[in-house]
Amino acid sequence: MAVNFIPRERSAFDVESGISILLPRVLPSDQSEPGGSIEYQYTFRRNGEPVGGLGMFGDQRVDGTSNRPVWTYTVNLSPPWVLRDILRMKSLFGSIEPDFTFLQSIARGLVAAFAGQTTNTVDLRYVALASSESLIGEGLSDIQISGVPNECEVILAEVFVPAHIL
C-alpha cells in the first residue's frame, strides 16, 4: 500500500491507513549539538487516538531576494535515529513501499501538515530534508546520490503556503 498524505486544516491525512499527522508542536530548541534552532513534535493519530509520534529539529530563515520575503522552515530528517524511527512506522501504515519511497511519503506528510494554514500574513515554505551521507549510512542508497559530496542535502518534500492577507 502506498502512503499518500493530503493536506487538511492543521493536519495531513492518509486515506488508505486512516492516519493523520497533526500540525506539530513547534518549540525553540535548546539542544547543545548542531541540528537546528527549532524542535518539531509531531503526533500521528488514527480515529482520534494517538498511534505514534516523531520529534526532530530544524531551522528557519528568510529569503528576501524576491519582491516578497519568504520564510523557509526546514525539518531535518538527517539524524540516523530520526530515519530509523520513520522506517519503523512502515508496519503502522501497512506499507510495502521501498524504504526510500516510504521516507519520502512520510516527509510529504510532515510538510503537508502545514499546508492548510490560513492565518499566515507572510509567504511560508516548509522543507523536509536529509543529508546524502545520512541516507547512505542508513542503507537508503538506492536513490541516485552516489558520488554526491557528503554534505549535500537532499530535499525529500516541500510545500509553499502563500500569505493570507485580509
Side-chain angles (χ1 to χ4, degrees), residues 7-12 20-24 112-119:
R8 290 199 170 164
E9 186 177 351
R10 304 185 57 77
S11 69
S20 293
I21 300 176
L22 304 184
L23 191 63
F114 292 100
Q117 294 182 80
T118 59
T119 59

Side-chain angles (χ1 to χ4, degrees), residues 3 5 12 14 17-24 41-56 85-86 89 92-93 102 105-107 109-110:
V3 177
F5 284 97
D14 175 53
S17 67
I19 294 177
S20 293
I21 300 176
L22 304 184
L23 191 63
Q41 298 174 356
Y42 286 92
T43 302
F44 291 66
R45 291 185 172 268
R46 180 184 285 138
N47 299 323
E49 297 295 320
V51 293
L54 282 174
M56 71 266 320
D85 283 351
I86 290 171
M89 295 180 130
L92 178 67
F93 285 87
F102 180 76
S105 297
I106 296 300
L110 297 175

Side-chain angles (χ1 to χ4, degrees), residues 86-104:
I86 290 171
L87 294 177
R88 277 195 284 272
M89 295 180 130
K90 283 181 78 170
S91 62
L92 178 67
F93 285 87
S95 173
I96 57 170
E97 298 173 285
D99 287 350
F100 184 73
T101 304
F102 180 76
L103 173 65
Q104 286 181 303

Side-chain angles (χ1 to χ4, degrees), residues 15-92:
V15 176
E16 290 294 319
S17 67
I19 294 177
S20 293
I21 300 176
L22 304 184
L23 191 63
R25 183 175 178 192
V26 180
L27 305 166
S29 170
D30 61 356
Q31 67 170 355
S32 58
E33 59 189 63
S37 60
I38 300 171
E39 180 180 353
Y40 297 95
Q41 298 174 356
Y42 286 92
T43 302
F44 291 66
R45 291 185 172 268
R46 180 184 285 138
N47 299 323
E49 297 295 320
V51 293
L54 282 174
M56 71 266 320
F57 298 101
D59 279 310
Q60 67 182 18
R61 72 180 191 294
V62 65
D63 177 6
T65 57
S66 65
N67 50 347
R68 283 178 41 165
V70 177
W71 282 90
T72 297
Y73 293 86
T74 61
V75 178
N76 185 358
L77 306 181
S78 293
W81 56 268
V82 172
L83 293 171
R84 283 185 227 122
D85 283 351
I86 290 171
L87 294 177
R88 277 195 284 272
M89 295 180 130
K90 283 181 78 170
S91 62
L92 178 67

